[in-house]
Amino acid sequence: MEIKNLSTRMLSKIAKSDEHGENSPYFDGWKAYDSDPFDPIRNPNGVIQMGLAENQLCFDLVQEWIERNPEASICSHEGLHAFKNIALFQDYHGLPHFRNAVARFMAKMRGGRVSFDPDRIVMGGGATGANEMLMFCLADPGDAFLIPSPYYPAFDRDLRWRTGVKLIPINCQSSNNFKITKEALEESYQNAKVKVKGLILSNPSNPLGTILDKETFKTLIEFINDKKIHLVCDEIYAATVFGGANYTSVSEIIQEMECDRNLIHIVYSLSKDMGFPGFRVGIIYSYNDNVVNCARKMSSFGLVSSQTQHFLASMLSDDDFMDKYLLESSRRLASRHSKFTNGLDKVGISCLASNAGLFCWMDLRHLLKEETFEGELGLWRVVINDVKLNVSPGSSFHCQEPGWFRVCFANMDDETMEIALRRIRKFVGTNEQENARVKMAKPWRKNLRLSFSSITYDHETRVSSPVIMSSPRSPLVRAHT
Amino acid sequence: MEIKNLSTRMLSKIAKSDEHGENSPYFDGWKAYDSDPFDPIRNPNGVIQMGLAENQLCFDLVQEWIERNPEASICSHEGLHAFKNIALFQDYHGLPHFRNAVARFMAKMRGGRVSFDPDRIVMGGGATGANEMLMFCLADPGDAFLIPSPYYPAFDRDLRWRTGVKLIPINCQSSNNFKITKEALEESYQNAKVKVKGLILSNPSNPLGTILDKETFKTLIEFINDKKIHLVCDEIYAATVFGGANYTSVSEIIQEMECDRNLIHIVYSLSKDMGFPGFRVGIIYSYNDNVVNCARKMSSFGLVSSQTQHFLASMLSDDDFMDKYLLESSRRLASRHSKFTNGLDKVGISCLASNAGLFCWMDLRHLLKEETFEGELGLWRVVINDVKLNVSPGSSFHCQEPGWFRVCFANMDDETMEIALRRIRKFVGTNEQENARVKMAKPWRKNLRLSFSSITYDHETRVSSPVIMSSPRSPLVRAHT
């Protein structure tokens, strides 16, 4: 016991703190899934993972491409001649053909309306690593960035944990569809008690699935330009836009208006648009020479494997294939989104109108037994433990209003999505029968607990089953999502 | 200009400082090579790169293995079925078969005398990322680690730059073959003006190419155990031991003596032993549960590409192949080392006796025109600019005695090594003729400048040619070496 204490005492403040943010229902939901994962044959009553923003809809296209292009791999007979040079390659800049291909792909997915300079492409270890690198470049410990809430839970880890940077939420509300208002922005800026170094936007938004309209975007850029603070645009969902929506990247907006480009930085990744989170491709694209220079030096901590760079350079350079892929991926996302939201609609569940991302922002406010975050967590426990769906509660995204949930729809096949919808229908139906039974003895939304009387849950513990608590040695969490 | 100033002013202290350590002759030598690289046909008078610790001697074995095992790649016809699951895999823990294979390989290369628990294998982005992660886990900004000098120049970047940790050298001297003495260790510890959190050892040593003897090792472990400070053992050259030397890993020593295992941490990589620096495989193996837990969370910033994990898991698990590889690699390193040092010996250049690594620690003290670090840099400029060999001066390794140089011998073919030796012979020969001519008018070692009168060099500039200075936007440096 003494040794244990010693071993902890000798560690850093970072290691001893819980600033990593792992103790969030967002991650707990993953653990719940990991301990009882749904499988149509082996575990048909298991938890369906709807908390993971994976894009699984287009792997057939990628696999066909690989069959046609075996020389893209350095570990195939056809590509082996390149093995030695690629295995040895560790230049900070990345393989020239990789950077060129990424720059071209980034332009392509923005309709060719903007171009990217390959010399400004800097690699990081996934968007996770890229985001942290930008913070190390732009801010000192104690400095702050403004960020519209709700926002991606793991930003707490990526942006703050090791950098000491603070995040100050800009409160967005359902009353205007969670749009970012000038007033809320000013309020957050003025009330900050520390030095504000910049604004972070995820566009398309995670968790909302919405894209910024040009007018709002221009207001935000005017704001950061006036204040002389940085703008970090996380555009990792840029190619998940569907339904003909008119997505505009910050790279386009700054062509249309005056602003100091030294303040503009983009984070990109292939984890969402291509569905390759395992490949750990994070990209920083900065218009500031000093940031490019510093980030490039930092990239030594999270370079993309040269094996992966080489493979992706081939695939992303294939214009015909990528044109087809982007079109088809968008079409499939639109179709899945439409099926899923229509299914929810039939049982009276609505989502925020959206046209991007791999998830919906689902409104379950009418199912809360009390309009508090405790009520939200209570409902979440029912959904995860009894309905057996891992969705993520809005509070884990720092949403200011209880009752919203992020639900992912692109990380499963059609059959699994249908099963998820059936479970939701049954849940809502049971709920309604229960409501009828208690005949409005209380306002019906208060009766959720009664209708799931077999489930015991406790606000003091995070999840009902001890098996899904995190083990101190083995966090069952995944990386960037 | 104003915008430029603003853009710099708005950056972090890290971005504005030069603590990265890039402004070192170690990196400048790489730039000199990059600007005029030797090629036997196209540029036979170019600079030969002997500053890069690459292992290029066994790629034929690896390539044969790949030809026989096309299913090891997810981007081949034979392995494609695994593509989707691998591309999506982003668990912090790493692929189970990857961790198992790494643990088995680490045991194999230590002669099976010790075993490693796959659950303690944590991934980092190369040894670069793994080293930084350990510092983030173990120390707060301002805390210090002791480190025997000479030591790897890029430790300044890896261990200090973003963590704020300090490195305090332990002075090792040529008089006892650069062994670490208890006295020097105590002196560094006692004189430290900040909190000492631990000791860092690279074993085998970079740049010395030596291995720690058991007696010294035990003394060091007693020391850290008494002081209750951490021991970080960088063992990334563990499989480069040759000539039947009796290498002992810290993992073996702690089986033989009492110590608090919570203080023991190993950094490993496949960049040197296998020659795959491009694959960015860094490993932390800690005996401290809390460090494993914390480092695993941090690994999200530098996970190994799942494509690469999958491939390596197959190769490292092939016991027959790995047995053969390790034996043959050691044999080839021994042969190359022997040819190279014998060649040097013939012209009166000796190296520190060594039996590991991809380099020699070359003694050029007799060629210094003055026994200072300015004299060392002067000689270095002659070697790089006229002899056209990029070797690395000892001062960049924080060596306390001028006149030592690290020279790498495994990153080239036999023919290139012969050319390098011919250049050295010619250099020393010219030097000796010149000495004869001036007939001891001054002590001969002072006459180096005369004997290379066509070369002008200036102590105030780092290198003589402007084309090899670092560009502010484009550092021509490579990652971990």
Side-chain angles (χ1 to χ4, degrees):
Chain A
M1 199 61 197
E2 197 179 311
I3 282 175
K4 189 84 178 174
N5 288 344
L6 166 70
S7 85
T8 308
R9 202 178 64 232
M10 279 299 293
L11 303 189
S12 67
K13 291 192 183 89
I14 290 176
K16 284 182 282 190
S17 81
D18 63 353
E19 292 290 309
H20 173 264
E22 193 199 359
N23 296 327
S24 151
Y26 178 71
F27 293 115
D28 280 336
W30 291 355
K31 294 170 204 162
Y33 167 77
D34 283 342
S35 72
D36 181 24
F38 169 81
D39 182 278
I41 310 297
R42 284 166 301 186
N43 191 21
N45 295 317
V47 175
I48 295 178
Q49 173 62 292
M50 305 188 89
L52 193 57
E54 275 179 356
N55 189 350
Q56 298 196 13
L57 302 186
C58 286
F59 275 104
D60 56 326
L61 304 181
V62 173
Q63 285 173 300
E64 280 167 32
W65 186 88
I66 292 170
E67 284 279 17
R68 290 196 307 275
N69 295 275
E71 75 289 350
S73 167
I74 57 170
C75 301
S76 68
H77 171 72
E78 293 83 356
L80 187 56
H81 59 90
F83 185 87
K84 178 179 165 185
N85 283 338
I86 296 298
L88 286 171
F89 185 88
Q90 55 175 326
D91 191 308
Y92 284 4
H93 297 79
L95 288 164
H97 55 299
F98 175 70
R99 273 191 296 139
N100 289 337
V102 169
R104 208 150 89 175
F105 177 63
M106 286 176 72
K108 184 186 289 292
M109 77 173 81
R110 286 159 184 86
R113 295 181 299 275
V114 66
S115 66
F116 293 91
D117 176 0
D119 286 344
R120 293 187 179 279
I121 301 276
V122 178
M123 289 179 288
T128 298
N131 271 312
E132 189 193 53
M133 274 163 57
L134 263 184
M135 291 302 108
F136 273 123
C137 290
L138 302 179
D140 294 317
D143 290 348
F145 271 74
L146 308 177
I147 184 164
S149 70
Y151 64 84
Y152 171 53
F155 272 153
D156 289 336
R157 169 195 69 195
D158 301 353
L159 303 168
R160 303 185 323 172
W161 189 36
R162 303 197 307 184
T163 64
V165 167
K166 298 194 182 310
L167 294 179
I168 299 178
I170 302 161
N171 188 0
C172 299
Q173 296 176 318
S174 61
S175 56
N176 75 339
N177 295 322
F178 295 99
K179 281 194 179 174
I180 308 161
T181 64
K182 183 86 191 291
E183 295 68 36
L185 182 59
E186 275 287 0
E187 192 187 334
S188 294
Y189 183 81
Q190 298 302 343
N191 291 343
K193 290 180 179 62
V194 293
K195 187 174 187 178
V196 174
K197 273 305 202 54
L199 167 66
I200 294 163
L201 297 173
S202 75
N203 180 37
S205 163
N206 176 6
L208 301 178
T210 54
I211 56 180
L212 273 176
D213 63 274
K214 268 199 182 181
E215 196 187 323
T216 304
F217 214 160
K218 286 187 175 177
T219 307
L220 298 173
I221 290 176
E222 275 164 20
F223 179 86
I224 65 103
N225 201 50
D226 286 351
K227 306 292 190 201
K228 300 193 193 315
I229 60 176
H230 294 283
L231 175 62
V232 174
C233 285
D234 180 337
E235 299 191 349
I236 68 171
Y237 289 96
T240 66
V241 178
F242 50 80
N246 205 7
Y247 174 69
T248 316
S249 158
V250 69
S251 55
E252 290 173 67
I253 299 270
I254 60 172
Q255 290 183 159
E256 297 175 13
M257 64 186 290
E258 280 286 310
C259 84
D260 179 358
R261 291 189 172 206
N262 282 301
L263 301 172
I264 310 292
H265 322 280
I266 299 172
V267 169
Y268 188 56
S269 154
L270 297 180
S271 300
K272 307 306 180 182
D273 288 350
M274 296 300 302
F276 301 157
F279 290 1
R280 310 313 298 149
V281 179
I283 300 292
I284 288 175
Y285 190 91
S286 174
Y287 292 88
N288 184 319
D289 290 352
N290 293 302
V291 172
V292 170
N293 186 31
C294 183
R296 180 148 287 144
K297 290 177 196 164
M298 286 186 187
S299 67
S300 60
F301 298 110
L303 288 167
V304 178
S305 166
S306 56
Q307 180 191 19
T308 298
Q309 286 185 57
H310 183 76
F311 167 71
L312 291 173
S314 290
M315 196 173 69
L316 297 179
S317 305
D318 184 338
D319 279 331
D320 287 348
F321 172 71
M322 291 312 305
D323 285 339
K324 184 183 154 194
Y325 178 90
L326 289 171
L327 213 66
E328 181 62 16
S329 173
S330 171
R331 196 192 64 72
R332 292 187 190 181
L333 282 168
S335 162
R336 174 61 66 86
H337 175 266
S338 160
K339 274 187 214 156
F340 185 67
T341 52
N342 287 341
L344 291 178
D345 199 49
K346 281 185 191 149
V347 292
I349 294 175
S350 62
C351 295
L352 182 69
S354 66
N355 41 26
L358 308 169
F359 31 71
C360 296
W361 190 235
M362 187 168 66
D363 182 1
L364 297 186
R365 284 178 295 175
H366 58 291
L367 299 182
L368 294 182
K369 61 176 186 170
E370 54 179 73
E371 285 175 26
T372 63
F373 289 114
E374 284 72 25
E376 177 178 287
L377 278 181
L379 176 57
W380 175 70
R381 287 187 199 99
V382 172
V383 172
I384 203 161
N385 291 327
D386 201 64
V387 191
K388 296 283 185 79
L389 299 178
N390 175 32
V391 299
S392 308
S395 54
S396 63
F397 294 84
H398 302 267
C399 186
Q400 307 291 308
E401 297 174 32
W404 294 87
F405 291 78
R406 192 190 77 166
V407 52
C408 299
F409 57 73
N411 61 326
M412 61 192 71
D413 55 24
D414 287 334
E415 293 69 32
T416 307
M417 190 200 68
E418 285 300 336
I419 294 168
L421 279 172
R422 276 207 293 278
R423 289 186 184 178
I424 294 170
R425 274 196 288 274
K426 189 177 163 203
F427 163 57
V428 174
T430 310
N431 209 45
E432 281 169 356
Q433 285 170 20
E434 188 66 27
N435 290 336
R437 200 178 60 76
V438 297
K439 286 184 186 157
M440 307 299 284
K442 294 179 186 179
W444 73 271
R445 68 166 61 175
K446 301 278 183 189
N447 292 329
L448 192 72
R449 185 158 190 167
L450 291 176
S451 67
F452 287 89
S453 53
S454 65
I455 301 162
T456 55
Y457 54 85
D458 176 0
H459 289 156
E460 296 308 303
T461 58
R462 312 195 66 81
V463 278
S464 62
S465 160
V467 297
I468 57 176
M469 296 300 288
S470 66
S471 144
R473 264 194 54 203
S474 264
L476 284 167
V477 291
R478 290 185 174 215
H480 192 283
T481 289
Chain B
M1 198 60 194
E2 197 179 309
I3 282 172
K4 190 83 179 173
N5 289 343
L6 165 71
S7 86
T8 308
R9 202 179 65 232
M10 278 299 291
L11 303 189
S12 67
K13 292 193 182 89
I14 290 175
K16 285 182 283 189
S17 81
D18 63 351
E19 292 291 309
H20 174 264
E22 193 198 358
N23 297 326
S24 150
Y26 177 71
F27 293 115
D28 280 336
W30 291 356
K31 293 170 204 164
Y33 167 77
D34 283 342
S35 72
D36 180 25
F38 169 80
D39 182 278
I41 310 295
R42 284 165 302 185
N43 191 22
N45 296 317
V47 175
I48 295 177
Q49 173 63 292
M50 306 187 89
L52 193 58
E54 274 178 358
N55 189 349
Q56 298 194 14
L57 303 186
C58 287
F59 275 105
D60 57 324
L61 303 181
V62 173
Q63 285 173 299
E64 281 166 30
W65 186 88
I66 293 170
E67 284 279 17
R68 290 196 308 274
N69 295 274
E71 74 291 349
S73 167
I74 57 169
C75 300
S76 69
H77 170 73
E78 293 82 354
L80 187 56
H81 59 90
F83 185 87
K84 179 180 163 183
N85 283 338
I86 297 299
L88 287 170
F89 186 89
Q90 55 175 326
D91 191 307
Y92 285 4
H93 297 78
L95 288 165
H97 55 299
F98 174 70
R99 273 191 295 137
N100 289 337
V102 169
R104 208 152 86 177
F105 177 62
M106 286 176 71
K108 183 187 289 293
M109 77 172 84
R110 286 161 185 83
R113 295 182 298 276
V114 65
S115 66
F116 293 90
D117 176 0
D119 287 342
R120 292 187 180 278
I121 301 275
V122 178
M123 288 179 287
T128 299
N131 271 312
E132 190 194 53
M133 274 162 56
L134 263 183
M135 290 302 107
F136 273 123
C137 290
L138 302 179
D140 294 317
D143 288 348
F145 270 74
L146 307 178
I147 183 164
S149 70
Y151 64 85
Y152 172 52
F155 272 154
D156 290 336
R157 170 195 68 196
D158 301 354
L159 304 169
R160 302 186 323 171
W161 188 35
R162 304 198 306 185
T163 64
V165 167
K166 298 194 181 312
L167 294 180
I168 298 176
I170 302 161
N171 189 1
C172 299
Q173 296 175 318
S174 61
S175 56
N176 75 337
N177 294 322
F178 295 98
K179 282 196 179 173
I180 309 162
T181 64
K182 183 86 191 289
E183 295 68 35
L185 181 60
E186 275 285 1
E187 192 186 335
S188 294
Y189 183 81
Q190 298 302 341
N191 291 342
K193 289 179 179 62
V194 293
K195 187 172 185 179
V196 173
K197 271 308 201 48
L199 167 66
I200 294 164
L201 298 174
S202 75
N203 181 37
S205 163
N206 177 4
L208 301 177
T210 53
I211 56 180
L212 274 175
D213 64 273
K214 269 198 181 181
E215 195 187 326
T216 304
F217 214 160
K218 287 188 174 176
T219 308
L220 298 174
I221 291 175
E222 275 165 19
F223 179 85
I224 65 104
N225 200 49
D226 286 351
K227 307 291 190 200
K228 301 194 193 313
I229 61 175
H230 295 283
L231 175 63
V232 173
C233 285
D234 180 337
E235 300 191 349
I236 68 172
Y237 290 95
T240 67
V241 178
F242 50 81
N246 206 6
Y247 174 69
T248 316
S249 159
V250 70
S251 56
E252 291 173 67
I253 299 269
I254 59 174
Q255 289 184 158
E256 296 175 13
M257 65 186 288
E258 279 286 311
C259 82
D260 178 358
R261 291 189 171 207
N262 283 300
L263 300 173
I264 310 292
H265 322 279
I266 299 172
V267 169
Y268 188 55
S269 155
L270 298 180
S271 300
K272 307 305 180 184
D273 287 349
M274 296 300 302
F276 301 157
F279 290 1
R280 312 311 299 149
V281 179
I283 300 293
I284 290 175
Y285 190 92
S286 175
Y287 293 87
N288 182 319
D289 290 351
N290 293 302
V291 172
V292 170
N293 185 30
C294 183
R296 179 148 288 144
K297 291 177 194 165
M298 287 187 187
S299 68
S300 61
F301 298 110
L303 289 168
V304 178
S305 167
S306 56
Q307 180 192 16
T308 298
Q309 285 185 56
H310 183 76
F311 166 72
L312 291 173
S314 290
M315 195 174 70
L316 297 179
S317 306
D318 183 337
D319 280 332
D320 287 349
F321 172 71
M322 291 313 305
D323 285 340
K324 183 183 153 194
Y325 178 91
L326 289 171
L327 214 65
E328 182 62 14
S329 174
S330 170
R331 197 193 62 74
R332 292 186 190 182
L333 282 169
S335 162
R336 174 61 65 86
H337 176 266
S338 158
K339 274 186 213 158
F340 185 67
T341 52
N342 287 341
L344 291 178
D345 199 49
K346 282 183 190 150
V347 292
I349 294 174
S350 62
C351 295
L352 182 71
S354 66
N355 42 25
L358 308 169
F359 31 72
C360 294
W361 190 235
M362 186 168 66
D363 182 1
L364 297 187
R365 284 179 295 174
H366 57 293
L367 299 181
L368 293 182
K369 61 177 187 169
E370 53 180 73
E371 285 176 27
T372 63
F373 289 113
E374 284 73 25
E376 177 179 286
L377 278 180
L379 176 58
W380 175 70
R381 287 188 199 98
V382 171
V383 172
I384 202 160
N385 291 327
D386 200 64
V387 190
K388 296 284 186 77
L389 299 178
N390 176 34
V391 301
S392 308
S395 54
S396 64
F397 294 83
H398 303 266
C399 186
Q400 307 290 309
E401 296 175 34
W404 294 86
F405 291 78
R406 192 190 76 167
V407 53
C408 299
F409 57 73
N411 59 328
M412 62 192 71
D413 54 25
D414 286 336
E415 292 71 29
T416 307
M417 190 201 68
E418 285 301 336
I419 294 167
L421 280 172
R422 275 206 295 277
R423 289 185 185 179
I424 295 170
R425 273 195 288 273
K426 190 177 162 204
F427 164 58
V428 175
T430 310
N431 208 46
E432 281 170 355
Q433 285 169 22
E434 187 65 27
N435 291 338
R437 200 177 59 76
V438 298
K439 286 183 183 155
M440 305 301 281
K442 295 177 185 177
W444 73 271
R445 66 165 65 175
K446 301 277 180 188
N447 291 330
L448 192 70
R449 186 160 191 166
L450 291 176
S451 67
F452 288 90
S453 53
S454 65
I455 302 162
T456 55
Y457 54 86
D458 175 1
H459 288 158
E460 297 308 303
T461 58
R462 311 197 68 82
V463 278
S464 63
S465 162
V467 299
I468 58 176
M469 295 302 286
S470 66
S471 145
R473 264 193 56 204
S474 267
L476 283 166
V477 292
R478 289 184 176 215
H480 191 284
T481 289

